[in-house]
Amino acid sequence: MNKRNLETKKAILEKIRQYDTIVLARHIRPDGDAIGSTHGLAESLRRSFPNKKVIVSNADFSDYLAFLKTSEEDPETIDYSSVLAIVLDTAGLDRCSNKLITKAKELIKIDHHIDIAPYGDISWVEDDRSSVCEMVTDFLFTFQDELVCDSRVATLLYTGMVTDSGRFRYIETTGETLRLAGFLLDKGIETQKLFANLYLEDFDYYKFQSYVFDKMNITENGVAYLYVDNAMQQQFGLSREQASSSVDFMSGIKGSLIWLAFIDNPDGTIRVRVRSRFLAINTLAEKYHGGGHANASGATAYSIDEMKALIADADAMLKDYKANNEGWI
């Protein structure tokens, strides 16, 4: 049994035992970790407690994860006065996709982001974890005599672990991460099918990638950035997730320790994917209506001028870091 935060995990399991109806929610614009953790935990609870009603509310799916979707429907009405709510992978309730979740009788927070907006009757936050799916896997592993983890549950959780850890390359990946991934793999995940769904792309996407290499820019001090506007998204038939993934195209530039992708949103705002190596950039993201992890955050720009200001702030941050630190590449 994993004894890390054991008392908190015991308290969460006890609350789950007490309630007949459990509602799970996640953040808006869900990624693999948000989808994997909510549905992975929900599927486990349904199998472990067949007499309970377990609901994933506002269960929207990103296009690239549609292969994970089941036929379950999101009920139009929920009586929150007697339910337990569990919100996963959501730093602050302002980013929760279910705005009614605060009406629940009791609320549990399970998250791996820096805890700048605490909430919940029980809060389990470990900001050094690679993903919330890793935490949920730890929860199932700790209480495996009572909680079911079959191949379906394992596939959902492994998907979130793989995507949020950059295929186990990011700094938050630890030996514990890999041991828990091994626990999931032993449940019979079809990894060949999973990786085909996650990483195979249409030919036009590779044309877009080639286009990006020509259009990306870099500042004087090494901030790489790219603006994927509406016209570019339409030209290459990109989903919003495909457009957002362009941030990864800039990760291998030598001397560039910060890279930014700006993506036009349908509502006129600009989504910002913020990534770094060695230096923390979550404070930069927080300044621009966002937040996240030390080396992987998200933000929002509300104008081209704000986008330019973000780039300038990132450049100044990187200039200061390079002037006062050694060992960066």
Side-chain angles (χ1 to χ4, degrees):
M1 178 181 291
N2 188 338
K3 294 185 179 181
R4 183 178 180 182
N5 281 316
L6 181 58
E7 294 307 313
T8 301
K9 289 183 284 188
K10 284 181 177 178
I12 292 172
L13 181 58
E14 182 56 33
K15 290 297 179 185
I16 289 170
R17 291 189 186 114
Q18 291 174 12
Y19 281 82
D20 294 325
T21 303
I22 301 168
V23 179
L24 294 88
R26 55 185 176 235
H27 61 72
I28 56 175
R29 298 196 295 264
D31 57 4
D33 192 26
I35 288 173
S37 60
T38 49
H39 286 277
L41 180 56
E43 294 281 18
S44 175
L45 296 182
R46 290 178 186 131
R47 288 156 171 73
S48 307
F49 306 100
N51 294 325
K52 295 184 184 295
K53 187 175 184 180
V54 181
I55 302 163
V56 179
S57 62
N58 302 95
D60 51 327
F61 265 76
S62 300
D63 291 343
Y64 77 111
L65 295 165
F67 71 96
L68 293 173
K69 194 171 185 179
T70 65
S71 59
E72 76 173 50
E73 295 182 0
D74 187 25
E76 294 182 3
T77 59
I78 300 171
D79 178 10
Y80 285 94
S81 63
S82 61
V83 308
L84 172 66
I86 303 176
V87 180
L88 300 102
D89 198 32
T90 308
L93 285 176
D94 59 317
R95 296 199 68 239
C96 184
S97 62
N98 183 348
K99 301 308 179 186
L100 299 175
I101 205 73
T102 56
K103 296 181 180 295
K105 186 173 182 179
E106 291 189 274
L107 191 152
I108 294 171
K109 176 182 183 179
I110 303 177
D111 191 37
H112 73 137
H113 298 95
I114 297 170
D115 200 15
I116 59 175
Y119 63 86
D121 299 286
I122 299 175
S123 178
W124 177 23
V125 177
E126 295 185 13
D127 60 27
D128 58 343
R129 290 279 196 176
S130 71
S131 63
V132 173
C133 281
E134 178 182 336
M135 295 173 67
V136 174
T137 304
D138 176 20
F139 184 66
L140 301 188
F141 178 80
T142 301
F143 304 111
Q144 57 188 295
D145 290 341
E146 183 171 356
L147 300 177
V148 174
C149 183
D150 59 13
S151 61
R152 168 67 178 165
V153 172
T155 297
L156 287 159
L157 295 174
Y158 190 75
T159 298
M161 289 181 71
V162 167
T163 55
D164 235 40
S165 68
R167 286 182 264 187
F168 306 111
R169 292 181 295 114
Y170 297 161
I171 191 172
E172 293 84 5
T173 300
T174 64
E176 182 69 5
T177 306
L178 297 179
R179 282 187 286 273
L180 289 168
F183 168 72
L184 296 177
L185 285 169
D186 287 342
K187 303 300 178 181
I189 300 170
E190 295 182 57
T191 53
Q192 189 171 19
K193 180 180 178 181
L194 174 62
F195 290 127
N197 276 288
L198 284 176
Y199 300 116
L200 293 182
E201 299 287 358
D202 293 331
F203 182 72
D204 282 348
Y205 185 72
Y206 285 94
K207 298 291 286 184
F208 165 64
Q209 186 174 2
S210 174
Y211 185 82
V212 164
F213 290 143
D214 184 55
K215 295 296 182 180
M216 66 176 61
N217 297 278
I218 194 163
T219 66
E220 179 181 356
N221 294 292
V223 176
Y225 65 95
L226 171 73
Y227 180 28
V228 186
D229 60 17
N230 285 320
M232 195 186 302
Q233 293 178 48
Q234 293 171 7
Q235 179 181 350
F236 293 100
L238 302 176
S239 68
R240 292 181 64 251
E241 288 301 329
Q242 287 176 317
S244 297
S245 69
S246 61
V247 70
D248 295 327
F249 300 163
M250 299 176 280
S251 64
I253 301 173
K254 192 172 184 178
S256 177
L257 307 185
I258 300 176
W259 48 105
L260 312 167
F262 299 89
I263 301 96
D264 272 346
N265 284 324
D267 62 2
T269 61
I270 303 171
R271 182 182 186 184
V272 191
R273 303 294 293 274
V274 188
R275 300 290 185 269
S276 70
R277 182 179 295 111
F278 301 127
L279 74 164
I281 42 73
N282 55 293
T283 54
L284 176 67
E286 289 163 13
K287 181 178 178 180
Y288 289 91
H289 327 289
H293 305 290
N295 302 114
S297 290
T300 301
Y302 287 91
S303 66
I304 297 297
D305 286 342
E306 195 167 32
M307 181 176 77
K308 291 178 179 178
L310 196 162
I311 294 169
D313 283 348
D315 190 60
M317 178 184 289
L318 187 51
K319 179 181 180 180
D320 180 72
Y321 180 84
K322 287 185 174 181
N324 294 285
N325 293 272
E326 298 179 348
W328 51 269
I329 300 174

